[in-house]
Amino acid sequence: MSNRFFTDADAVVYLGVGKNMVTSIRYWLKVFNLTQNDQPTELAHLLLANEGCDCFLEDNVSLWILHYHLVKSNIASIYNLTFGANTNSNGSAIATGQYAGLVAGH
């Protein structure tokens, strides 16, 4: 979105989706480290620019990179909880059955 922001009144028209979807797209671009302050990051240019490595995200490596940034961002907490460090506050391993309790506590 050259020179357009997700908060613009015409973002709904420009993207062709509803208001809630604009908010959702903005959120997911942020947690995947594809935008920062609504501007494309270096990763976004590297992957998605016209001359980028994988502008259609067809390569599994690109998806792994995005998921790495998803967990690393620690914004979408369920991903970090599930795929991040599997230890509790005293350093012992968390059993699979304990995840439900942890998620409920967030």
Side-chain angles (χ1 to χ4, degrees):
M1 291 177 52
S2 61
N3 299 327
R4 293 184 183 254
F5 296 95
F6 290 99
T7 55
D8 287 350
D10 66 343
V12 172
V13 174
Y14 183 77
L15 292 172
V17 297
K19 179 184 172 191
N20 291 336
M21 187 58 73
V22 170
T23 303
S24 179
I25 292 168
R26 182 181 187 200
Y27 171 81
W28 287 108
L29 288 172
K30 178 181 175 181
V31 298
F32 280 122
N33 189 35
L34 294 173
T35 60
Q36 186 174 43
N37 300 321
D38 291 333
Q39 295 298 316
T41 62
E42 184 178 343
L43 176 63
H45 287 290
L46 177 70
L47 285 177
L48 303 174
N50 288 335
E51 65 283 347
C53 300
D54 190 12
C55 61
F56 295 107
L57 296 176
E58 297 174 317
D59 189 341
N60 285 336
V61 172
S62 300
L63 300 178
W64 277 105
I65 290 169
L66 290 176
H67 280 89
Y68 166 78
H69 283 278
L70 175 69
V71 173
K72 183 181 172 191
S73 73
N74 202 19
I75 297 171
S77 60
I78 189 67
Y79 291 93
N80 191 41
L81 178 66
T82 303
F83 301 110
N86 292 325
T87 59
N88 59 23
S89 59
N90 66 10
S92 62
I94 296 173
T96 303
Q98 292 176 301
Y99 277 117
L102 289 171
V103 171
H106 272 262

